[in-house]
Amino acid sequence: MIKVASYNMRKSIGTDRRRRPERTLQVLKEIDADVIALQEADRRFGARASVMTPHLLEEHSDWKAVPIALRDRSMGWHGNALLVRKSAEILDCEAIHLPALEPRGAVMADLKINGKKLRVVGMHLDLSGLWRRRQAHAILAHLDHERAAMPTVMMGDLNEWSARLGCVRDFCRHYDMADTGPSFHARRPVAKLDRILVSKELKVTECGVHASMAARTASDHLPIWARLSRS
C-alpha cells in the first residue's frame, strides 16, 4: 500500500493573499503521503527560486525533493516538483519538455518504496484545451518510449473542466482515474481540475480531497490523494 497526493500549492500564496510556505508544509503533513506531486512550487520570475527552502524540508519534514531542477535555486521544472519519503530510493528522474505557448512541463521519477518500484509523473497542463491534448499526447508518448515498464501513477493540475472529454479522455484510454472529487476553488470546490491516474497494474483502494481548515486557506486548490495497491 502506498499513498500519493497532488497539490497545486500556488507558490504558497493562500486565499488570504499571504505567502506562507510553513502553512503549505502543514497541509502536506496533514496528508502524510509517500509521494507528492507539487505544482507552482517555484516562483515564476527571476531565478525561479523554490518557495519552500531546502532547510524547511530537511529540518521540518519527512520528505526530500527529487533532484529534477534545472536551475540552481528551483525545486522542479516549470513549477512541477516531486517529494518522496527520505527513506525512498530514487532510481532515475528527468524533466519532460512539453509543447506549449506558455512555459509548461512535466517531471518524472522512478522510485523504490518499501521494496517496490513505482514510476511517478507530475504535471501542470495548459489553460487551452488544444494545448492540453498535445501535452497529454507528449506525456503518453514519453512513457511509451521508456525502456523499463513499471507501475505508473500520473497526477497534477490538468486544468480540464470536463469529466470525460479532452485530455481526460486521452489519458483514460490507457489509465484509470481516481474519483477524488472537486478540488477547485478551495473555498467552494466545484471543479475536478486536479487528477490522479494509475496504470492497470495499480488499484485505487481509497481516495479523496483534503479539505482541512489549513488547506482551505493555503492555496486556491485543495490537495487530492489516493491509496494504491497492486491490482
Side-chain angles (χ1 to χ4, degrees):
M1 189 76 71
I2 184 174
K3 187 176 183 180
V4 300
S6 178
Y7 189 23
N8 185 331
M9 54 183 277
R10 199 195 184 196
K11 307 174 189 66
S12 287
I13 300 175
T15 53
D16 57 2
R17 299 185 181 181
R18 296 180 180 179
R19 190 192 303 276
R20 294 179 56 191
E22 68 280 1
R23 181 170 57 186
T24 302
L25 187 59
Q26 176 189 342
V27 174
L28 297 182
K29 287 181 176 180
E30 291 173 355
I31 302 167
D32 196 30
D34 300 295
V35 183
I36 304 168
L38 296 174
Q39 301 87 50
E40 300 193 24
D42 298 329
R43 295 174 186 262
R44 186 171 184 180
F45 302 107
R48 307 291 206 281
S50 171
V51 174
M52 290 194 290
T53 65
H55 169 78
L56 191 62
L57 284 178
E58 291 169 8
E59 301 296 327
H60 301 284
S61 86
D62 188 38
W63 299 286
K64 58 186 177 184
V66 174
I68 301 167
L70 302 181
R71 293 173 178 263
D72 290 339
R73 297 177 59 191
S74 298
M75 182 186 291
W77 168 242
H78 287 314
N80 294 282
L82 296 172
L83 301 182
V84 297
R85 298 281 190 198
K86 290 176 180 175
S87 59
E89 183 180 355
I90 301 170
L91 305 175
D92 194 12
C93 60
E94 63 179 309
I96 303 175
H97 296 260
L98 298 181
L101 288 176
E102 58 182 278
R104 294 286 176 178
V107 291
M108 186 175 78
D110 291 348
L111 309 170
K112 195 171 186 180
I113 304 175
N114 300 327
K116 302 294 184 183
K117 291 183 178 180
L118 180 72
R119 178 167 290 146
V120 179
V121 175
M123 54 189 165
H124 189 184
L125 302 190
D126 206 282
L127 295 174
S128 161
L130 174 62
W131 285 100
R132 279 197 300 272
R133 297 199 67 184
R134 291 175 178 173
Q135 290 160 1
H137 292 162
I139 292 169
L140 292 170
H142 189 91
L143 290 172
D144 286 343
H145 284 88
E146 286 296 310
R147 289 174 293 179
M150 64 179 69
T152 300
V153 55
M154 299 190 296
M155 48 188 173
D157 180 357
L158 271 58
N159 269 318
E160 178 59 72
W161 288 72
S162 171
R164 298 180 181 178
L165 302 176
C167 67
V168 168
R169 181 171 59 184
D170 298 331
F171 281 126
C172 286
R173 290 194 180 102
H174 309 277
Y175 291 80
D176 295 327
M177 182 171 292
D179 188 14
T180 53
S183 57
F184 182 85
H185 186 279
R187 286 186 171 174
R188 191 174 182 179
V190 296
K192 296 181 180 180
L193 301 187
D194 305 281
R195 314 280 182 138
I196 296 174
L197 302 112
V198 300
S199 62
K200 303 302 180 181
E201 302 95 331
L202 297 171
K203 179 181 179 182
V204 178
T205 61
E206 189 180 3
C207 64
V209 177
H210 184 75
S212 69
M213 288 298 295
R216 289 185 181 277
T217 57
S219 171
D220 57 348
H221 286 247
L222 293 172
I224 60 173
W225 59 271
R227 295 188 189 275
L228 311 177
S229 66
R230 293 293 183 104
S231 60

